[in-house]
């Protein structure tokens, strides 16, 4: 089972009762998107993630995503995350539970970060859902980084806005990991 599906299952457990700690983003960025990409939202998100990984690795990206990728790179720098101190599309696996964390990093103070990038054509300033919170906490827990800063960067191409949500929630990570029994991981 992939981490996203597992996070959705975990978010439905009434005893977890996890909510992102802040309803408003810590930062909002405006980006110049001269050619707004269009199409299936899922395909757009996958295409953007591939372009972002290339851009952060110093490779060429299509003009459809260049400005958005540059904005995310700027946001990561503003968070104190330098390219040399992070990895993209990091495989995570424990038992039958698998996934890819968008960005795993260390800031200038050596604090770990787990960053999830979400693309949307809807409300860019919408706080991460319980399932998205569980997903980030699950990634941190599976990588044995319970003290990681969790960040959700939500990009809306249509209006050229990016919201940044940050949580320092060791208790949430531990709560998630305590809910994930070895049987759950093996059955996943």
């Amino acid at each position: 089972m992939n981490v996203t599906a597992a996070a959705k299952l975990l978010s439905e457990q009434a005893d977890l009762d996890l909510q992102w700690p802040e309803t408003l983003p810590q930062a909002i960025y405006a980006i110049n998107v001269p050619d707004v990409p269009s199409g299936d939202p899922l395909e757009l998100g996958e295409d953007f993630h591939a372009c972002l990984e290339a851009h952060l690795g110093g490779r060429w990206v299509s003009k459809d995503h260049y400005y958005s990728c540059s904005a995310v790179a700027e946001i990561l720098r503003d968070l104190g995350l330098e390219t040399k101190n992070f990895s993209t599309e990091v495989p995570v696996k424990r038992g039958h539970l698998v996934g890819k964390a968008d960005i795993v990093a260390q800031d200038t103070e050596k604090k770990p970060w787990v960053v999830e990038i979400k693309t949307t054509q809807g409300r860019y300033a919408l706080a991460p859902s319980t399932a998205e919170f569980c997903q980030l906490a699950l990634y941190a827990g599976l990588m044995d980084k319970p003290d990681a800063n969790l960040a959700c960067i939500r990009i809306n191409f249509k209006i050229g806005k990016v919201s940044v949500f940050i949580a320092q929630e060791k208790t949430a990570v531990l709560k998630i990991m305590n809910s994930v029994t070895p049987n759950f991981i093996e059955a996943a």
Side-chain angles (χ1 to χ4, degrees):
M1 173 184 291
N2 72 30
V3 169
T4 305
K8 286 180 185 174
L9 285 174
L10 288 169
S11 72
E12 295 168 359
Q13 291 182 11
D15 59 330
L16 271 179
D17 190 35
L18 287 177
Q19 299 290 321
W20 194 265
E22 301 289 330
T23 57
L24 296 175
Q26 280 82 352
I28 295 176
Y29 289 73
I31 53 174
N32 178 17
V33 186
D35 298 314
V36 177
S38 60
D40 176 67
L42 187 59
E43 288 176 18
L44 257 172
E46 289 173 359
D47 188 40
F48 176 75
H49 275 79
C51 286
L52 179 62
E53 184 176 19
H55 183 78
L56 294 174
R59 297 184 306 275
W60 179 88
V61 297
S62 72
K63 68 176 185 161
D64 289 350
H65 292 300
Y66 174 78
Y67 294 100
S68 301
C69 290
S70 294
V72 170
E74 178 183 339
I75 291 166
L76 294 172
R77 280 190 301 277
D78 288 353
L79 294 175
L81 308 177
E82 295 294 328
T83 307
K84 64 183 177 189
N85 295 326
F86 67 76
S87 303
T88 59
E89 299 298 320
V90 178
V92 178
K93 183 178 190 314
R94 190 172 296 170
H96 294 286
L97 194 55
V98 297
K100 283 189 180 178
D102 289 342
I103 296 173
V104 177
Q106 268 190 347
D107 62 21
T108 53
E109 297 172 1
K110 305 292 185 216
K111 176 85 172 161
W113 285 72
V114 178
V115 181
E116 186 67 19
I117 311 290
K118 300 291 185 186
T119 58
T120 182
Q121 294 181 5
R123 296 178 55 203
Y124 73 95
L126 187 64
S129 68
T130 300
E132 291 167 336
F133 192 12
C134 288
Q135 180 183 6
L136 274 161
L138 197 50
Y139 282 139
L142 291 172
M143 290 184 284
D144 297 320
K145 298 178 185 289
D147 60 338
N149 287 326
L150 307 177
C152 180
I153 298 173
R154 196 177 304 279
I155 304 164
N156 184 310
F157 298 119
K158 283 184 181 178
I159 62 172
K161 299 280 186 186
V162 181
S163 59
V164 181
F165 292 88
I166 302 167
Q168 299 170 339
E169 292 290 320
K170 183 175 184 173
T171 45
V173 174
L174 295 174
K175 195 174 191 180
I176 285 289
M177 293 313 291
N178 287 334
S179 297
V180 179
T181 64
N183 291 341
F184 182 88
I185 290 174
E186 293 307 318

